Amino acid sequence: MEVTPTLKKSLVLFPLLVVVLLGPGWVHSSLSQESQADRFYRQHIDPDNPFGNKTSYCDVMMWRRNINWYSCKKLNTFVHTSRATARAVCREKLTACRNGTVNCHKSRSSMRITQCNLKGGSKYPNCAYWSTQRTAHILVVCDGNSSKPIHFDSSV
Ligand SMILES: *[C@@H]1O[C@H](CO)[C@@H](O)[C@H](O)[C@H]1NC(C)=O
Ligand SMILES: *[C@@H]1O[C@H](CO)[C@@H](O)[C@H](O)[C@H]1NC(C)=O
Ligand SMILES: *[C@@H]1O[C@H](CO)[C@@H](O)[C@H](O)[C@H]1NC(C)=O
């Protein structure tokens, strides 16, 4: 097929139109193409902890990291460490996850974490959270091939 100038123009304009029309939906589809490890880092790793010990931390972060899509996630944990340190947990030997399946790796040291618990009665899109900071060991599931964390199991 020959590409006419008009077609060329529409080939350029079309992606722009898609972005404008679909907005967040387009962002969502690009999120669904991210790797499992990148998804883990987005949802669970925050080395900066820019809000420190503030009650609004979870309300801000659950939106900033695009964690609430069409519903309010009930529980999410942020770990205040680097990606490299989180990844190093995958080098620890396998241990039992919270449900008893021996599929998890447990951090040797305890880490600073913030747990975000959905407040009772809050309805999407008004997801409101309790932010609780503490230090704990984390349990993660890793991808056997890449040795990267892909699932946050629990903290103990
Ligand atoms: C937040 O900081 C206050 C005062 O420094 C402290 O008493 C409290 O335990 C902290 N809360 C959490 C959840 O870390
Ligand atoms: C690991 O690699 C094997 C072989 O390339 C593949 O079949 C498997 O799906 C991979 N596992 C994961 C979790 O990516
Ligand atoms: C138990 O939990 C781990 C991680 O949270 C998961 O990988 C595993 O599939 C679960 N096992 C069962 C039997 O549901």
Side-chain angles (χ1 to χ4, degrees), residues 7 55 64 113 122 124-126 144 155:
L7 183 54
T55 53
R64 177 169 292 179
I113 65 173
S122 76
Y124 185 86
N126 302 312
S155 56

Side-chain angles (χ1 to χ4, degrees), residues 4-94:
T4 66
T6 316
L7 183 54
K8 255 191 203 155
K9 201 170 166 191
S10 62
L11 283 177
V12 172
L13 286 178
F14 184 67
L16 280 176
L17 196 64
V18 168
V19 172
V20 171
L21 289 180
L22 301 183
W26 176 78
V27 173
H28 193 199
S29 78
S30 73
L31 285 181
S32 70
Q33 282 159 23
E34 74 184 336
S35 71
Q36 284 181 294
D38 283 340
R39 181 169 180 272
F40 174 91
Y41 295 138
R42 174 170 59 81
Q43 296 196 333
H44 301 294
I45 300 301
D46 177 22
D48 299 332
N49 188 14
F51 305 100
N53 173 8
K54 293 225 185 82
T55 53
S56 60
Y57 176 82
C58 289
D59 290 336
V60 173
M61 288 297 283
M62 294 298 280
W63 283 109
R64 177 169 292 179
R65 296 294 184 88
N66 290 306
I67 294 170
N68 290 327
W69 278 102
Y70 309 116
S71 68
C72 302
K73 191 174 177 185
K74 284 213 172 71
L75 172 66
N76 189 71
T77 303
F78 288 102
V79 187
H80 306 299
T81 191
S82 66
R83 289 182 174 208
T85 303
R87 187 174 175 178
V89 176
C90 292
R91 291 201 293 265
E92 301 297 339
K93 65 183 189 330
L94 280 174

Side-chain angles (χ1 to χ4, degrees), residues 52-54 131-134:
N53 173 8
K54 293 225 185 82
S131 304
T132 312
Q133 289 195 316
R134 59 195 189 94

